[in-house]
Amino acid sequence: MKLYPLKFTPIHKPKIWGGEQWLISAYGEDVSVVENGYLAENDLNELVEVYMGELVGDHVYEQYGNQFPLLIKTIDAQEKLSIQVHPNDEVAWERHRSLGKEEMWYVMDARHDSSLILGLNRDANREQLSAALQNGSLPDWMNVVKVKEGDVAHLPSGLIHALNAHVKVAEIQETSDLTYRLHDYNRPGLDGKPRELHIDYALDVIDYKQHEKPLVNYSPKQNGAVNLVENLHFVTNLICFNKTIERDYMPLDSFVVYICVKGSFSLVSDEEGDMTTILMQEGEAVLLPASTEQVKLSPTTNEAKLLEVYAP
């Protein structure tokens, strides 16, 4: 039986500040389950174990084994998130036997006054930020950046960051949930108890340099792809289209994830006569197996926008 584009049932995560939808996940017990086709009700871990490189790409399977390497989310922030930082792979493995957490955000929706915290607004050191945490002045050190729909932020490990209120993003990240909270506005969690902070761990991994270019500079390309972020863990392109286009993945030895970030579109995949058609709405994701050679994308609104994500 041939593989085909896979849609998964979203995993809903209510939060004190809003909520997340984990669209494609193989993290811990939160493993995505297929909802379309003959593989429905199988989970992502099972698929990687059975199909290996045919699903994720031979070089991806050689590197990660049965661990699907990315976690795909949408995040709807109605209130501020905690000010936080993530460790790199080396520190994460040494401390937690886990992958680190490099990630990116694509702003899907934002109110006119919405903003992100992206790094420091001036150079600092451990002693200065430690003192700021004790006297409550940490927010004064943060680089606050106003954002609008379509803005993109790359969040390497070590970068202090946070979503502020009234912004919705698509998030692409390593398969990890390691977050070191520095400051959480003295809020209780959903259980009514104060949420745990991880100050010593965080101070060990922070990039103390000013973050001078917080947003990715790019120009959208109509009916084509433009690169947004490329690192050791993932490549993300933005595709904007108002007519039918084709994408050729013959040379690519990786799975591909599409995240619909604007409008809607249909996806048609024809694998040696086995045709699959999927309708994609804003906020949904689909996984194209590495065996996929070509797909046809047709907008069902005036224009559609999607993020195209794969392993380098």
Side-chain angles (χ1 to χ4, degrees):
M1 300 292 284
K2 295 188 186 339
L3 285 170
Y4 55 92
L6 300 165
K7 289 188 77 173
F8 297 87
T9 302
I11 301 168
H12 302 281
K13 296 272 187 174
K15 304 287 184 178
I16 59 170
W17 40 259
E20 299 177 346
Q21 289 202 82
W22 289 21
L23 303 179
I24 300 180
S25 168
Y27 178 77
E29 296 181 356
D30 292 308
V31 182
S32 296
V33 175
V34 177
E35 67 176 25
N36 69 312
Y38 73 90
L39 290 172
E41 299 186 12
N42 288 272
D43 71 42
L44 184 52
N45 283 342
E46 294 168 339
L47 298 184
V48 175
E49 186 175 349
V50 171
Y51 290 98
M52 300 182 288
E54 187 180 353
L55 177 67
V56 299
D58 290 335
H59 88 282
V60 177
Y61 191 77
E62 287 173 8
Q63 182 174 356
Y64 294 99
N66 290 333
Q67 174 67 71
F68 189 78
L70 298 181
L71 175 53
I72 309 297
K73 306 175 181 176
T74 58
I75 303 176
D76 188 1
Q78 297 301 313
E79 303 292 343
K80 295 178 179 180
L81 273 69
S82 62
I83 298 175
Q84 57 191 244
V85 68
H86 307 304
N88 62 25
D89 287 342
E90 182 180 1
V91 172
W93 184 256
E94 181 180 332
R95 288 180 175 174
H96 312 285
R97 289 296 185 264
S98 169
L99 292 176
K101 195 174 177 184
E102 184 165 6
E103 57 190 3
M104 66 160 283
W105 289 330
Y106 177 93
V107 178
M108 296 175 62
D109 191 24
R111 215 165 68 175
H112 67 90
D113 56 348
S114 298
S115 62
L116 308 176
I117 289 174
L118 297 171
L120 300 170
N121 57 29
R122 56 195 184 277
D123 289 352
N125 58 42
R126 183 186 181 113
E127 290 71 27
Q128 288 172 316
L129 289 196
S130 180
L133 284 163
Q134 293 178 20
N135 63 30
S137 65
L138 182 69
D140 297 340
W141 290 83
M142 298 298 99
N143 188 25
V144 181
V145 182
K146 286 193 173 182
V147 291
K148 62 185 182 306
E149 179 189 322
D151 282 341
V152 175
H154 176 214
L155 310 173
S157 56
L159 182 75
I160 294 179
H161 61 278
L163 290 169
N164 285 331
H166 309 300
V167 61
K168 181 178 182 179
V169 301
E171 180 177 274
I172 296 123
Q173 59 161 92
E174 294 179 75
T175 292
S176 170
D177 203 30
L178 281 179
T179 296
Y180 297 159
R181 293 192 198 97
L182 279 157
H183 181 72
D184 197 33
Y185 307 99
N186 299 313
R187 294 180 296 192
L190 292 174
D191 59 1
K193 300 177 182 178
R195 297 206 296 171
E196 183 180 4
L197 300 179
H198 318 90
I199 291 171
D200 287 339
Y201 273 179
L203 291 173
D204 285 344
V205 303
I206 287 172
D207 179 356
Y208 288 98
K209 296 292 185 182
Q210 179 183 357
H211 197 52
E212 295 180 347
K213 296 181 178 180
L215 296 177
V216 174
N217 183 27
Y218 76 96
S219 297
K221 181 180 179 182
Q222 191 63 274
N223 299 310
V226 61
N227 180 250
L228 301 179
V229 173
E230 183 168 355
N231 55 46
L232 293 175
H233 307 105
F234 54 84
V235 176
T236 301
N237 302 318
L238 175 67
I239 301 176
C240 306
F241 55 109
N242 60 11
K243 66 179 183 179
T244 298
I245 61 172
E246 293 184 352
R247 299 294 289 168
D248 181 8
Y249 296 114
M250 276 285 288
L252 186 66
D253 182 25
S254 171
F255 64 90
V256 176
V257 172
Y258 287 160
I259 310 161
C260 183
V261 293
K262 187 74 173 180
S264 61
F265 64 93
S266 67
L267 178 161
V268 177
S269 170
D270 188 355
E271 300 296 329
E272 300 179 12
D274 293 335
M275 186 175 291
T276 300
T277 301
I278 291 177
L279 181 63
M280 295 291 297
Q281 304 284 349
E282 186 173 317
E284 295 183 334
V286 63
L287 173 64
L288 306 183
S291 58
T292 301
E293 296 182 356
Q294 192 176 68
V295 296
K296 185 180 294 184
L297 307 173
S298 300
T300 52
T301 48
N302 289 336
E303 182 186 50
K305 295 182 181 181
L306 65 86
L307 301 181
E308 176 190 63
V309 185
Y310 54 87

